Amino acid sequence: MKKILTLTFILVSALTYTSCTNEEDLIFDKSAAERLNEASDLYSSRLMASPNGWAMQLYPTNDPEYPYGNGYLLLCRFNGDHSVNVSMDNVFSDNKYKEDTSLWEVITDNGPVLSFNSHNDCLHAFSDPEDLPFTGTDDDPNDETGTGAGGDYEFIIVDAPEDASYMMLKGKKRGTYNLLTPIEQGVEYSDYLADVKAFQNKMFSASVPTFDVMYLKESTFKITGANDGIPNIFPYDGDEIIDESFNAFLMTKRGNDYYLRFRDAISINDDEKVQEFRYNSERDVFESVDNAEYYIDGDDPVRFFKEVTIVNGLSNYGWQFTPNSDMSASMKAIVDNVVAEFKSRKNTLQSISYHLVNSKPTLHIQYRTSTGTTANAYFNVNIQETEDGASFTIVESVGQAGQLLNVLPSLNDLVTNILQGTFRISGGYTKFDLNYVTFTSSVDPDKWIIMSLK
């Protein structure tokens, strides 16, 4: 019995050894050099798989400070002759469109690595160890000599699907993750960058003291300072300084859709995170690409209007419209009549606004006379907040302003029957850009006008 078992063990061992040897022959039928060359060719082909190149979301470092932690949009086209065309339009190019061509290759270093292996004025601007001239002040300059922005020029290829839907790179030195998404054929790089830049500047204006709001299940967060690309995100009822948490983001465009993607994913719970949002123009929100119930909204126009107009008494801001402002057809007819009346007297209506004059809330009518000089008519007003907007009441005319209403019946109608009234306040074009708000008559919803921040 013992001999039989021994013989059986020997036979099984022999078969096992033969099987393993055959598998090893299959695995190692190519030299290490051949396998590395195949890997290089494979990932090179993946880089060239997007005919019009990629939008690269580059983050030099994970630093929370400008400009080292900001994201920068670079457009890269990888060509078959191993040249690469790189374009950008940001502070590193003096906020002008810039492009350069250099060389690239995929090398193997414990995995495939994309190397920009000859100097590129765009890509290497983030890794050159030189001082950044646009940081600091004349009195207190920053000297980054020796470090520069601290970015990479070699990137580990973390993920590169065969369908070329995206590519994920990881900075070899800094470890930042940099997403690449394909650019549609026929799209000019200069147009793409200008489009995205204009959209981001509109949605996150530096000139308006608003904030945005992020809704993640039961949690709500304020987003402030988004205009510099590294917003502070903290609980809505929290403290902006004590609870500060900075997270850089970048905007890209795919087709007709704009995308906002944070550098670092935001945890909702132990099993769920959000990182990328798509702008939904119908809802006027940025929706999570994974769950539309998670979204980023603009500021409340009513809250903002009351804050700058009533709470601060128009001390720094006012609201104005001109004959060329967007307005409803019925409002346009009234304003056109006013313009015609001014013209009949060889004058030109320039603007009508609410703002502070001599410390008093004022309705201000500005026009140009036949002699080319600027003339003004002022009416002191009382502004009271309502649930969804504000009510305006003329208290008195200032100086000879009342006479203007007597000689211009259409202006009198506009001022006393419409501008002296109650308005609902809503976003002008988007709640993310409250440089513009819509005043809609509470008496006649067909009468509305978009006013701009003055």
Side-chain angles (χ1 to χ4, degrees), residues 186-210:
V187 174
E188 294 291 335
Y189 279 14
S190 57
D191 294 340
Y192 180 101
L193 290 171
D195 185 352
V196 172
K197 189 176 185 178
F199 180 78
Q200 181 166 337
N201 288 339
K202 180 183 75 171
M203 303 304 274
F204 305 105
S205 172
S207 63
V208 186
T210 59

Side-chain angles (χ1 to χ4, degrees), residues 67-369:
Y68 323 103
N70 283 76
Y72 299 93
L73 189 57
L74 274 67
L75 307 187
C76 308
R77 183 186 297 107
F78 297 91
N79 305 309
D81 61 358
H82 279 264
S83 65
V84 57
N85 311 114
V86 185
S87 301
M88 66 181 184
D89 180 355
N90 53 53
V91 67
F92 281 82
S93 62
D94 197 25
N95 289 309
K96 298 176 183 176
Y97 179 75
K98 184 176 183 177
E99 60 183 27
D100 194 21
T101 300
S102 59
L103 299 177
W104 68 279
E105 67 174 328
V106 174
I107 61 177
T108 50
D109 182 6
N110 293 324
V113 173
L114 167 63
S115 175
F116 292 82
N117 57 350
S118 69
H119 193 274
N120 187 293
D121 286 347
C122 293
L123 190 286
H124 285 84
F126 304 94
S127 59
D128 287 341
E130 301 173 357
D131 176 54
L132 307 180
F134 50 81
T135 62
T137 64
D138 292 338
D139 296 330
D140 184 22
N142 291 340
D143 186 358
E144 294 90 0
T145 302
T147 59
D152 283 289
Y153 61 89
E154 290 189 330
F155 303 87
I156 300 167
I157 301 177
V158 177
D159 195 8
E162 187 176 358
D163 64 1
S165 56
Y166 72 92
M167 185 173 287
M168 182 63 76
L169 307 179
K170 182 180 180 181
K172 186 177 177 182
K173 178 175 61 176
R174 291 296 187 182
T176 59
Y177 285 89
N178 307 277
L179 178 67
L180 275 64
T181 51
I183 302 172
E184 291 183 309
Q185 293 194 55
V187 174
E188 294 291 335
Y189 279 14
S190 57
D191 294 340
Y192 180 101
L193 290 171
D195 185 352
V196 172
K197 189 176 185 178
F199 180 78
Q200 181 166 337
N201 288 339
K202 180 183 75 171
M203 303 304 274
F204 305 105
S205 172
S207 63
V208 186
T210 59
F211 57 81
D212 304 311
V213 186
M214 180 186 293
Y215 296 92
L216 304 178
K217 282 191 173 179
E218 293 80 16
S219 301
T220 307
F221 300 86
K222 278 186 181 179
I223 302 177
T224 62
N227 58 282
D228 70 357
I230 310 182
N232 186 7
I233 304 174
F234 57 96
Y236 191 91
D237 295 324
D239 186 276
E240 188 168 2
I241 297 177
I242 296 175
D243 301 315
E244 69 181 18
S245 175
F246 296 96
N247 193 348
F249 72 90
L250 272 171
M251 302 291 306
T252 55
K253 188 177 184 182
R254 287 165 244 166
N256 293 320
D257 291 324
Y258 295 93
Y259 290 82
L260 182 159
R261 185 176 185 274
F262 289 104
R263 180 186 63 195
D264 306 315
I266 299 170
S267 295
I268 297 176
N269 51 49
D270 292 339
D271 303 318
E272 195 171 10
K273 295 181 178 181
V274 292
Q275 188 167 16
E276 187 170 39
F277 297 78
R278 181 186 68 86
Y279 180 64
N280 182 329
S281 58
E282 292 184 2
R283 288 183 64 193
D284 192 22
V285 299
F286 287 92
E287 298 173 338
S288 165
V289 296
D290 300 316
N291 187 338
E293 293 182 3
Y294 308 147
Y295 62 95
I296 301 171
D297 200 356
D299 201 351
D300 177 2
V302 177
R303 184 214 68 80
F304 177 68
F305 174 83
K306 291 178 179 179
E307 175 68 25
V308 301
T309 306
I310 299 175
V311 176
N312 291 324
L314 293 171
S315 57
N316 297 311
Y317 302 97
W319 301 94
Q320 75 172 6
F321 70 92
T322 73
N324 295 321
S325 296
D326 288 335
M327 61 190 80
S328 64
S330 60
M331 183 70 87
K332 178 68 172 172
I334 295 172
V335 173
D336 283 349
N337 286 337
V338 175
V339 171
E341 282 189 338
F342 271 96
K343 188 175 181 180
S344 69
R345 302 179 67 87
K346 302 186 184 306
N347 297 324
T348 304
L349 176 64
Q350 294 181 306
S351 65
I352 298 177
S353 58
Y354 292 107
H355 63 103
L356 208 66
V357 177
N358 296 326
S359 302
K360 294 180 180 180
T362 301
L363 174 63
H364 175 197
I365 300 170
Q366 185 175 85
Y367 59 99
R368 190 173 64 249
T369 69

